[in-house]
Amino acid sequence: IQSGSSYISSIYRFADSIKNIYQNVYSEQNAGIMQSIVLGDRSGLDDDVKRMYQKNGISHILAISALHVSLVGMFIYDWLKKRIARIASACFSTFLIISYLCMTGYSASASRAVIMILVYMLADVLGRTSDMANTLGIASVILLWINPYNLINSAFWLSFLAVAGIIYIKPILSDDRTILIYIRRPDKKNAGFFQLILFRIADSVITGMCVTIVTLPVILIISGQIPAISLFLNVIVIPLMSLIMISGIFTGIAGMLSLEAAYFFAGAGGYILDFYYKLCSLS
């Protein structure tokens, strides 16, 4: 028990160190946003920024992105299994993912993402395939078993409905050959750069539409309104979230060694957050 508690304490100390690095290398406003996105800690978040993001329908980016937790977790596992034994890579990846979940406070969306990653890795180690719909069901049962009050948690509903929209609604609007019937999927070998960019934009719009459709009832219950411009803003905001997440993670790690290195990695994330602020002000 003592070793477990000391391990948890060391994780919290590590998180506090990263917060101090963010406060040194980012502006006060951006430090609070980055702290919220990467560490799930909203204590330093400016109230004006929170209201502005909510008014423009992009307040979801202030929570830990379950999508990026999933992508980072699967990237680590897939990268490790090419270099070490599959079981060893799964065990090491599980340790890292659960440590991160503990550091960020076990939010409903991040917990859902971690459970789905663990099921994916278990299936891969056993030589089986994981089905997203069943994996989502397993995650919901586990989270409700751990805490039945998740049933009245808006973050729980938004996270699960967003994934359900991608699983069930997106295939109706987008298949292997076209998006919305008219936009053909380009051949990656022969397609030009701009053709691929246009396809990515169309795919982002479709994904945003699917998520919006299924989460609409919950958002209306929570806020009583839907910002019409949010669909267009999310097409710009969501793809850039990967760069913010990468910038925030590398800034925290580099800052443990040198503040100069942290400033270097912080640049991209800081500029994008400034761009978000101007975009919200303009809209």
Side-chain angles (χ1 to χ4, degrees):
I1 294 173
Q2 289 180 349
S3 60
S5 60
S6 61
Y7 167 69
I8 299 296
S9 299
S10 64
I11 288 177
Y12 290 153
R13 284 196 299 271
F14 181 71
D16 287 336
S17 300
I18 293 177
K19 291 176 195 174
N20 291 331
I21 293 166
Y22 287 166
Q23 290 165 4
N24 284 320
V25 300
Y26 291 110
S27 65
E28 183 178 354
Q29 176 179 292
N30 288 346
I33 297 173
M34 193 64 77
Q35 185 176 309
S36 176
I37 292 172
V38 178
L39 300 174
D41 185 351
R42 295 195 173 198
S43 60
L45 198 58
D46 186 77
D47 289 336
D48 292 335
V49 172
K50 193 187 302 183
R51 281 193 295 268
M52 178 179 284
Y53 277 34
Q54 185 174 6
K55 187 175 180 180
N56 286 279
I58 61 169
S59 59
H60 58 85
I61 71 170
L62 297 175
I64 294 172
S65 171
L67 171 63
H68 292 99
V69 171
S70 300
L71 291 176
V72 170
M74 285 191 284
F75 171 78
I76 293 171
Y77 172 67
D78 290 336
W79 184 82
L80 284 174
K81 74 177 183 180
K82 295 175 183 177
R83 291 160 176 80
I84 59 177
R86 185 166 299 190
I87 295 177
S89 62
C91 291
F92 185 70
S93 300
T94 300
F95 171 76
L96 289 179
I97 293 167
I98 293 179
S99 296
Y100 179 71
L101 181 64
C102 175
M103 185 171 67
T104 55
Y106 306 98
S107 70
S109 58
S111 299
R112 191 266 306 155
V114 167
I115 292 170
M116 293 185 74
I117 296 168
L118 295 180
V119 173
Y120 166 79
M121 290 192 295
L122 178 63
D124 193 55
V125 169
L126 297 176
R128 306 291 294 273
T129 55
S130 59
D131 173 73
M132 277 193 70
N134 287 326
T135 305
L136 185 66
I138 291 170
S140 66
V141 170
I142 291 173
L143 288 180
L144 289 173
W145 177 65
I146 293 172
N147 181 12
Y149 286 103
N150 274 320
L151 200 59
I152 54 174
N153 182 353
S154 59
F156 174 88
W157 281 101
L158 289 172
S159 179
F160 278 85
L161 286 175
V163 179
I166 295 171
I167 294 172
Y168 294 108
I169 307 297
K170 191 175 180 182
I172 299 173
L173 304 176
S174 172
D175 56 31
D176 294 335
R177 292 175 295 176
T178 60
I179 295 178
L180 288 178
I181 302 175
Y182 299 106
I183 304 173
R184 293 190 173 276
R185 289 184 179 272
D187 183 0
K188 292 183 179 180
K189 295 181 180 178
N190 302 321
F193 175 74
F194 289 105
Q195 192 177 2
L196 289 173
I197 293 295
L198 287 174
F199 168 74
R200 291 295 182 188
I201 292 174
D203 192 60
S204 296
V205 171
I206 291 297
T207 303
M209 285 175 58
C210 296
V211 171
T212 300
I213 288 168
V214 295
T215 57
L216 181 63
V218 178
I219 293 173
L220 284 172
I221 290 170
I222 296 169
S223 61
Q225 62 182 357
I226 294 292
I229 201 169
S230 64
L231 179 60
F232 303 101
L233 286 179
N234 279 305
V235 173
I236 301 171
V237 166
I238 291 175
L240 293 175
M241 279 301 297
S242 299
L243 294 177
I244 292 179
M245 197 76 173
I246 292 169
S247 174
I249 291 171
F250 278 99
T251 298
I253 294 172
M256 298 292 178
L257 305 174
S258 165
L259 270 183
E260 292 180 358
Y263 275 110
F264 175 78
F265 288 109
Y271 287 132
I272 294 172
L273 290 176
D274 290 338
F275 172 67
Y276 281 2
Y277 187 82
K278 291 178 180 177
L279 197 65
C280 287
S281 301
L282 179 64
S283 67

